[in-house]
Amino acid sequence: MKLERILDKLGSIEKNSFIKIIDGIISKDPKNLKEINKILSSSDKGLKSVDSQNISRIFALTSDEFQKHIACEFQEISSQLDILIDIVIRDGNCIMKQDWFSRLYDTEIKNLKARIKNLNADFENDKSDLTDSRKRDYKIYKSCLYTAYQNDIENNRDAKITSDELSIILTLSKELGLSQEEVKLINYSIVPIKKADIQEVIKSLKNIGVIFYSNKDNTVYVADEMVRMLRKIRKKEVAEKFYRRTLKLLREPTINYIARDHNIDRKLSYSQKIEEIIKEGISFTNLLLNDIYRLESTLTEKKKTLNELCEKGLNISNLKGSTLDDKIESLIKHFENVERDETVGISLDGFDKLLMELNNSLPKLNKEIKSQFEFQDEFVLKAEFLLDYNIKPRDILDLIVKPDLTKFIKENGIKQRGDDILNILDHYKDVENLYLENFEHVAFRNLNKLKENGITVRESELGQKFEDLTKVIFKGMGFNVDDTFKNNLNTRKDMMDILLNLGNDEIIIVECKTSKERGYNKFSTVSRQLKSYQNLALKNNLRIVKILLIAPEFSDDFVTDCEMDTEMNLSLISASTLSNIYEAFKKSNYAEFPYVLFRDIVINEERILKALSK
């Protein structure tokens, strides 16, 4: 769930710790202070009185400093912060009831203790699956950690690992190629694990700004933006779902090689080994730099293998970068962009239909998804529920084994030639709703984003498509989009885009503009056009209640020119604002949108959303 939505759910006391940290960062002159002050200038009472949307923007502007603040907390090696962070960043754990979080924490501690016991036994057992070279790596790391922790006792001080010692230990673990889980197991074989009270755990995480806690419903919230930040701190370059998607493209011998190198049981099934590799926290970059290739592979062969993996397996063409490292970095950035993108790939209705039919064909799937993502709810195959956890249709389909996918495809009349998952997603597309979910991308004429989200359209068609979608939105809000009346009024010279007929000779004129450039700034051109429409309407004895201009966004100069105009009753609406108003209207109790709310120069989205929610 996005930070803005979480902040809207919480009271001021529940947001205090988070806001105090950002306040502290602002007081130390962060690098983006000018942009932050622009946002704060509209508020006389400081950060506490800023709305959720702008707090979210300020958090993005202070993300580097916030990340350093959290990283400092990891210097206390006995804090268990690594255990707790690894729980909250797992796919499916960003919203948890307190009792469920407590249960996950208990399970994690028990599993860790059992695995530490097994690891210690492997150290002593000559017949264990650990290779001699791996045993040597473990022993080197363990000996260094032991010395760093125990040398304080010898000097009559409390046992701890200083930040300098920790930086050396982290470098050592990286050079030895240890996974995060291997490091964690060895760490806690030296530093005893003490199970903390769950209230204290929540309080400590809340105080460092990592989580929010709602006292009203006893729920822990971790913002999507925070999850991404915590993953960076834990050196997990991609979300589990993207790691899984990549691993599933590898042949079983390659998976076995990776498993053997990181002490994972090779007797497990193919899918189980993949899940264990993900849990191990093995570096995604190292995996693609070294682990997936034959030992004798040349650099050219490695590049070719990675390109084929991306193009044929992940459907990513033209992976950027000349070196192997550059290509891997481009792939990681691609996954980051996919994760940040709020569009679903198919429409929300299509997602619900897909889940319903998956549940009919594969009755065990609900239980499997519940287990995979550690959900507390009993029935989880619901589109809105899954999207709150940033789990999209592709993420669900990636978890289904090949025989079950084949069965589902046959039972539901889905195309069988080609890629199974892409065929399923294509089958459940609802084109109009999919376009509406990409309304802002259409406005910005962003062909690449539209293509990524499953929409193929010519650039020359985008202007008309934007106008058509705007009509659909206004119809959905209860307006009479009167094309017949509009066509009768229009002349060869003056052709307005949309006319909303309010009855009694009253109308609203709507003009639609698309633009690739950030900030629509052609006021002089558009104002002449709109004034000619106004004159046309007045000649026909019509009362113009409002003129609305819809565009991707507006520059400051455009807004200023609009404010200075005294001849038109003009309001500006960005594409994202209109889309959000439409979504809020659908959930409201109104049968028709109260157009009196269109009274600002630049339509205030937050005010209208609040009005619709009453």
Side-chain angles (χ1 to χ4, degrees), residues 129-145:
D129 286 338
L130 277 176
T131 62
D132 290 340
S133 62
R134 208 57 177 157
K135 277 186 182 179
R136 183 206 61 193
D137 294 341
Y138 286 178
K139 284 177 180 176
I140 291 170
Y141 179 79
K142 188 173 182 179
S143 297
C144 293
L145 184 70

Side-chain angles (χ1 to χ4, degrees), residues 190-203:
I190 301 293
V191 183
I193 302 176
K194 293 179 183 176
K195 184 176 171 297
D197 177 74
I198 196 63
Q199 289 283 3
E200 287 303 310
V201 167
I202 288 172
K203 185 179 176 183

Side-chain angles (χ1 to χ4, degrees), residues 70-83:
I70 297 171
C72 286
E73 300 292 329
F74 274 88
Q75 291 180 7
E76 179 52 64
I77 200 165
S78 59
S79 68
Q80 296 185 16
L81 196 54
D82 52 352
I83 297 173

Side-chain angles (χ1 to χ4, degrees), residues 25-38:
I25 291 169
I26 293 170
S27 70
K28 294 173 184 173
D29 296 338
K31 65 177 181 181
N32 292 320
L33 186 61
K34 281 186 180 178
E35 291 89 338
I36 292 166
N37 283 336
K38 277 183 187 176

Side-chain angles (χ1 to χ4, degrees), residues 59-183:
F59 173 70
L61 291 167
T62 58
S63 60
D64 288 348
E65 291 84 1
F66 209 109
Q67 187 170 322
K68 286 175 187 172
H69 150 75
I70 297 171
C72 286
E73 300 292 329
F74 274 88
Q75 291 180 7
E76 179 52 64
I77 200 165
S78 59
S79 68
Q80 296 185 16
L81 196 54
D82 52 352
I83 297 173
L84 298 168
I85 296 303
D86 286 349
I87 293 172
V88 301
I89 64 175
R90 281 184 208 143
D91 294 338
N93 285 352
C94 58
I95 306 170
M96 295 176 282
K97 293 288 185 183
Q98 180 189 307
D99 62 326
W100 191 248
F101 185 28
S102 178
R103 198 178 306 180
L104 293 177
Y105 174 56
D106 288 349
T107 302
E108 194 75 9
I109 297 290
K110 284 176 189 172
N111 288 342
L112 261 178
K113 286 181 176 178
R115 293 176 68 197
I116 289 167
K117 189 176 178 181
N118 291 337
L119 182 65
N120 288 335
D122 282 339
F123 272 129
E124 307 301 327
N125 185 0
D126 292 334
K127 294 181 180 179
S128 74
D129 286 338
L130 277 176
T131 62
D132 290 340
S133 62
R134 208 57 177 157
K135 277 186 182 179
R136 183 206 61 193
D137 294 341
Y138 286 178
K139 284 177 180 176
I140 291 170
Y141 179 79
K142 188 173 182 179
S143 297
C144 293
L145 184 70
Y146 181 84
T147 301
Y149 188 64
Q150 292 290 330
N151 60 14
D152 289 314
I153 295 173
E154 291 173 12
N155 294 311
N156 201 26
R157 296 194 296 261
D158 289 336
K160 69 175 185 178
I161 293 174
T162 66
S163 58
D164 287 342
E165 289 169 335
L166 184 62
S167 67
I168 294 168
I169 292 291
L170 290 173
T171 303
L172 179 64
S173 69
K174 184 180 178 182
E175 291 304 314
L176 291 172
L178 301 181
S179 72
Q180 287 183 351
E181 282 301 300
E182 288 169 320
V183 168

Side-chain angles (χ1 to χ4, degrees), residues 490-503:
N490 280 350
T491 65
R492 286 186 180 181
K493 184 182 174 185
D494 300 317
M495 301 183 70
M496 61 185 80
D497 288 341
I498 300 171
L499 183 147
L500 307 180
N501 191 345
L502 305 178

Side-chain angles (χ1 to χ4, degrees), residues 132-269:
D132 290 340
S133 62
R134 208 57 177 157
K135 277 186 182 179
R136 183 206 61 193
D137 294 341
Y138 286 178
K139 284 177 180 176
I140 291 170
Y141 179 79
K142 188 173 182 179
S143 297
C144 293
L145 184 70
Y146 181 84
T147 301
Y149 188 64
Q150 292 290 330
N151 60 14
D152 289 314
I153 295 173
E154 291 173 12
N155 294 311
N156 201 26
R157 296 194 296 261
D158 289 336
K160 69 175 185 178
I161 293 174
T162 66
S163 58
D164 287 342
E165 289 169 335
L166 184 62
S167 67
I168 294 168
I169 292 291
L170 290 173
T171 303
L172 179 64
S173 69
K174 184 180 178 182
E175 291 304 314
L176 291 172
L178 301 181
S179 72
Q180 287 183 351
E181 282 301 300
E182 288 169 320
V183 168
K184 197 193 291 182
L185 290 176
I186 298 171
N187 284 355
Y188 287 109
S189 68
I190 301 293
V191 183
I193 302 176
K194 293 179 183 176
K195 184 176 171 297
D197 177 74
I198 196 63
Q199 289 283 3
E200 287 303 310
V201 167
I202 288 172
K203 185 179 176 183
S204 65
L205 291 177
K206 193 175 119 182
N207 285 344
I208 63 172
V210 165
I211 67 168
F212 295 95
Y213 184 69
S214 168
N215 295 308
K216 183 181 176 183
D217 51 13
N218 297 323
T219 299
V220 171
Y221 292 96
V222 194
D224 292 344
E225 297 92 328
M226 181 60 69
V227 169
R228 286 194 290 272
M229 182 181 288
L230 295 173
R231 276 207 304 266
K232 282 183 183 176
I233 291 169
R234 293 294 287 139
K235 308 296 183 206
K236 294 189 176 183
E237 301 104 320
V238 296
E240 291 176 0
K241 56 191 179 183
F242 301 127
Y243 206 148
R244 181 182 298 109
R245 190 175 299 174
T246 307
L247 287 171
K248 288 185 79 171
L249 299 172
L250 305 178
R251 293 168 58 244
E252 188 152 13
T254 306
I255 295 294
N256 283 335
Y257 171 76
I258 299 165
R260 183 186 64 204
D261 205 36
H262 291 279
N263 198 24
I264 294 168
D265 187 357
R266 279 168 289 155
K267 296 188 187 81
L268 296 171
S269 71

